[in-house]
Amino acid sequence: MSTVSRGYRPTRLPRPSTPPMPPPPTAHRAESKLSFGVVCSSNINRSMEAHVVLGNAGLTVESYGTGTNVRLPGKRAMEPRIFKFGTPYEEMYNSMAATKEDLDFFTRNGVLQLCRRGAAVKRAPQRWQDMTSDFVAKHDVVIAFEERIFDAVVEDLHMREPTENFEPMHVICLDTKDNPDEARIQGRIALELCWLLEAAGDDLVTEAPTIVDDFQTERMKHTPIKILYQLCYL
């Protein structure tokens, strides 16, 4: 008979740490002047990795998903564990640690660690499309970690009613495979790009396309990376 494990309280964990990455010499301002949004499908792997990395570096950041639901790898490829957006990370953790068998399996595949990290940063995954226009409009830059997610964000912005201020929003795609190793790599690449944008002059609308283009050219010397850019207004 399966034994039920005691519910673990991941929200008591300290915020995940990342290797110290002080602002580069080109980042002249000590405090973050831009607001960043980072977006993946389920707001638990790629966007949450970037949320931790950017936040620990002192940047202003929020994270989101664009999927219909939060989908996590299950015991079989065709049977993912599915949760609604807004389900606390702690609740997802406890659901997948309800038996010793589940606890062992989801520890091995890394899903429980993702839930623990999420709970240490915020309460629950947030869906980009469900956020109010005034809330998402505070972001100067939005980084999506897959082309289809980039497309979803741009389409959503085009469908929204303009806010009163109608400010520019720079939407960027850093195409990233949905696994923890790739997320760690791209989280730090995203931070490099964010520091460059932070160091830009006051006219980011003019400077951002060149910054992104130069960044891709430089990064391609080391690691192939696909970067897309779209200027939107909301």
Side-chain angles (χ1 to χ4, degrees):
M1 183 169 64
S2 298
T3 58
V4 178
S5 61
R6 291 187 177 183
Y8 174 68
R9 299 288 178 178
T11 50
R12 296 177 181 172
L13 292 177
R15 184 183 181 90
S17 63
T18 52
M21 291 188 67
T26 52
H28 302 297
R29 296 172 176 83
E31 296 183 0
S32 178
K33 67 170 183 173
L34 300 177
S35 173
F36 296 92
V38 289
V39 192
C40 67
S41 181
S42 293
N43 194 197
I44 197 164
N45 179 34
R46 294 167 291 183
S47 63
M48 186 53 68
E49 175 70 25
H51 190 151
V52 171
V53 172
L54 270 61
N56 285 352
L59 301 182
T60 302
V61 59
E62 297 286 349
S63 59
Y64 312 92
T66 60
T68 305
N69 295 291
V70 176
R71 300 172 66 90
L72 300 174
K75 294 182 179 180
R76 297 176 181 83
M78 302 304 293
E79 297 179 6
R81 297 297 293 266
I82 299 176
F83 301 90
K84 293 182 178 179
F85 276 94
T87 302
Y89 292 107
E90 179 181 3
E91 185 176 322
M92 289 190 283
Y93 182 102
N94 289 333
S95 172
M96 291 181 290
T99 69
K100 186 178 186 306
E101 179 185 358
D102 285 348
L103 179 64
D104 291 344
F105 178 84
F106 289 111
T107 297
R108 287 196 305 271
N109 77 355
V111 168
L112 290 184
Q113 178 56 32
L114 296 180
C115 293
R116 292 176 65 183
R117 177 183 63 184
V121 176
K122 63 181 188 178
R123 180 176 180 272
Q126 296 168 280
R127 187 170 185 261
W128 170 270
Q129 297 93 326
D130 294 340
M131 310 307 293
T132 66
S133 292
D134 285 336
F135 189 89
V136 299
K138 68 182 181 181
H139 295 308
D140 302 287
V141 178
V142 177
I143 297 178
F145 288 97
E146 192 173 329
E147 186 171 354
R148 66 182 178 87
I149 295 164
F150 170 86
D151 291 340
V153 170
V154 171
E155 180 182 5
D156 174 74
L157 290 173
H158 287 164
M159 293 177 62
R160 291 176 182 261
E161 289 292 326
T163 61
E164 183 176 352
N165 293 331
F166 198 58
E167 295 287 349
M169 186 181 298
H170 306 270
V171 186
I172 300 168
C173 175
L174 293 178
D175 209 28
T176 307
K177 292 181 180 179
D178 193 5
N179 64 64
D181 289 338
E182 289 295 323
R184 279 190 288 272
I185 293 171
Q186 293 292 67
R188 284 150 184 78
I189 291 176
L191 178 57
E192 292 178 27
L193 177 57
C194 290
W195 278 130
L196 292 173
L197 294 168
E198 277 279 344
D202 295 329
D203 190 4
L204 193 59
V205 170
T206 300
E207 296 187 38
T210 301
I211 291 172
V212 172
D213 187 57
D214 290 347
F215 183 78
Q216 179 171 18
T217 300
E218 179 61 29
R219 291 300 312 183
M220 285 292 287
K221 296 177 182 177
H222 311 286
T223 306
I225 183 172
K226 183 177 184 180
I227 303 180
L228 303 174
Y229 171 83
Q230 177 70 51
L231 176 63
C232 298
Y233 284 82
L234 182 62

